[in-house]
Amino acid sequence: MLFLRQLLSSSSSTSPSSPTRPAWPYLAALGAGLFLLLLISHHPPTTALQTLRNHPAYLSASSHLSSLLPSSPEDPLAYRKYLEATTSPTAQITHHPTLGFSKIYVLSLPNRTDRREEMNKLARALGVEVTFVDAADKGEGFIKWIAERVGESRQLRASVMAKARHTSPSSIGGLAIGTDWLSPTLDLGTPTSPGHIPFPPFPSNSSYTGGNWVTHLEALHSEGRHTTLKPSDPAFNVTKALHDPRERKEVRQLHEGIISTWWGQSRVVKQMLEDGCESALVLEDDVDVEWEVERIWSRIRRRLPKDWGVVMLGHCWSHEILSPWYLHPLLHPSVSPMCLHGWALSTLGARRLQAHLQNPWHAFSTAVDLVLPSLLYHHELPPYSTFSIQPPLIIQRKDGPSDLQKGSGSKWRGVLGDSTVERLKRDEGVWKGEEEVGEVWHEEGGVDPATAFREERHCAD
């Protein structure tokens, strides 16, 4: 009001030396200001929640953003949620039925209906669509046929490598990362000094379609006739015939289960390429997944180089955290990731891997999860093409009998920060608490960094 009196007095009194100024512009401005004050007093400021609800991003995807909305305007996180919804890339606020991949494949035995139902339940909880790819039972006759061919190719390989190294064929072998059976060169290579003498073309056999036993196997598979293959010796003992005397750890020795796993994983890679997928997530049928996997993955995916090939969302027996992170705290260039229970492939990565999986010099000659770390060991993959997420977003459940090993499999056990399986069990009222988690494996000589992190985080919760 003081301002009004001053305004009126100034307009009514003029100096003899100055021209008279009209008062109406000042009065008009004053009236507009009073009108705005009156309007605001009847309409309080729009809350962050109201702004969010009127935002185009919300209007176009309200069903996906509903989980971001607070239950009342007084929610202290309302503004933060508003920023999250209005500044995040669309991929982070809009749910995708395959988590941004072209497809999500689940490798599973057709007769394991129990596991398929568990994976369907997991998929429904995450709101995703999965495509099952049939694995092969280790008792199938063609698995022994493959084992016979592996025995033959191993003998040939050992002979050729021994000649190049000027040593005895009996010195060739071992089933650890970097094994002779997966070496890309004939001469001895190391992580710092790769070999340079390439393998010659694999001997051609006119009785095989395509010239070698792998191309023959693939041709029959494409025709749906691979199960007609039988070993020449019905009593062929896979474990005895393929025993590697240079490998001290018995668990690494080949048997029908390991060969069938190689077959299954190679089926997924082949299926992905035939489906024309730009990318795919490959899961085994006994996994648990981080509840926020989509949001975490969407952030990581934006940091990957355009020519990425493989990303290990789940792995075990590895120390990937020792590699410096790459553009995201959870993303590390791969060092020696083992296990294939949850991994992503681009088209480029699938083609690279398929070339190695179908190489007759070494196909099926080791556990399939040795292939990737051995390729890294021998510098066969371009730099920054293979990555591991650490700590993993996908782990093995270990809640049932393994199809490959006695009991529930190896001692390794991962722990998730927010388990989807645990959420499902709590929802069903069957969660048993800490006894469900079980003992977390500690490596000899120290604790795996990722496992330690998960265990500490789980206990803190």
Side-chain angles (χ1 to χ4, degrees), residues 156-428:
L156 179 61
R157 181 185 181 94
S159 175
V160 173
M161 292 184 78
K163 183 177 180 180
R165 297 181 184 179
H166 306 287
T167 187
S168 167
S170 62
S171 67
I172 308 299
L175 292 168
I177 294 174
T179 172
D180 288 336
W181 301 125
L182 295 176
S183 172
T185 56
L186 293 174
D187 51 336
L188 188 62
T190 67
T192 57
S193 179
H196 63 280
I197 305 176
F199 274 83
F202 194 82
S204 180
N205 188 328
S206 59
S207 63
Y208 291 142
T209 304
N212 66 66
W213 65 275
V214 176
T215 55
H216 183 67
L217 175 63
E218 292 295 337
L220 290 180
H221 174 256
S222 297
E223 298 171 2
R225 297 192 299 118
H226 61 285
T227 55
T228 61
L229 294 169
K230 306 293 180 184
S232 58
D233 178 9
F236 182 76
N237 188 314
V238 175
T239 304
K240 182 178 179 179
L242 299 182
H243 184 270
D244 186 342
R246 295 191 61 80
E247 177 53 56
R248 295 181 179 180
K249 294 188 176 181
E250 193 63 29
V251 70
R252 292 176 178 168
Q253 296 292 346
L254 258 65
H255 52 75
E256 290 89 339
I258 290 179
I259 293 175
S260 66
T261 302
W262 183 303
W263 170 258
Q265 291 288 353
S266 65
R267 292 317 88 196
V268 177
V269 175
K270 182 179 181 180
Q271 186 68 52
M272 173 189 170
L273 293 174
E274 289 181 349
D275 289 345
C277 296
E278 292 184 1
S279 64
L281 176 63
V282 182
L283 304 174
E284 293 181 340
D285 63 357
D286 59 346
V287 299
D288 188 4
V289 181
E290 191 74 43
W291 177 251
E292 291 286 353
V293 62
E294 181 171 23
R295 181 170 293 275
I296 298 172
W297 169 247
S298 68
R299 294 172 186 265
I300 292 175
R301 184 179 58 187
R302 292 185 295 127
R303 300 299 185 182
L304 293 172
K306 292 183 178 180
D307 58 349
W308 71 274
V310 177
V311 180
M312 305 299 294
L313 282 77
H315 49 87
C316 64
W317 303 96
S318 47
H319 291 79
E320 308 305 274
I321 203 170
L322 301 181
S323 171
W325 58 274
Y326 176 88
L327 300 180
H328 188 284
L330 301 185
L331 187 65
H332 300 257
S334 294
V335 177
S336 58
M338 296 290 289
C339 301
L340 295 174
H341 49 266
W343 56 310
L345 285 162
S346 68
T347 303
L348 183 59
R351 287 174 179 163
R352 287 174 182 155
L353 198 60
Q354 187 182 52
H356 292 280
L357 294 175
Q358 296 184 359
N359 186 328
W361 277 113
H362 61 241
F364 300 92
S365 59
T366 69
V368 67
D369 61 344
L370 278 177
V371 175
L372 188 64
S374 291
L375 289 174
L376 292 168
Y377 177 92
H378 290 294
H379 303 279
E380 284 297 294
L381 296 174
Y384 300 105
S385 65
T386 306
F387 296 88
S388 300
I389 295 178
Q390 184 79 321
L393 303 179
I394 302 172
I395 65 171
Q396 293 170 308
R397 290 201 305 263
K398 304 283 188 180
D399 58 358
S402 170
D403 291 321
L404 299 179
Q405 302 179 29
K406 293 180 180 180
S408 59
S410 70
K411 294 180 180 179
W412 180 278
R413 185 185 179 94
V415 181
L416 295 175
D418 189 355
S419 158
T420 301
V421 169
E422 179 181 328
R423 281 176 173 258
L424 286 169
K425 289 184 176 181
R426 288 180 185 275
D427 184 63
E428 296 168 354

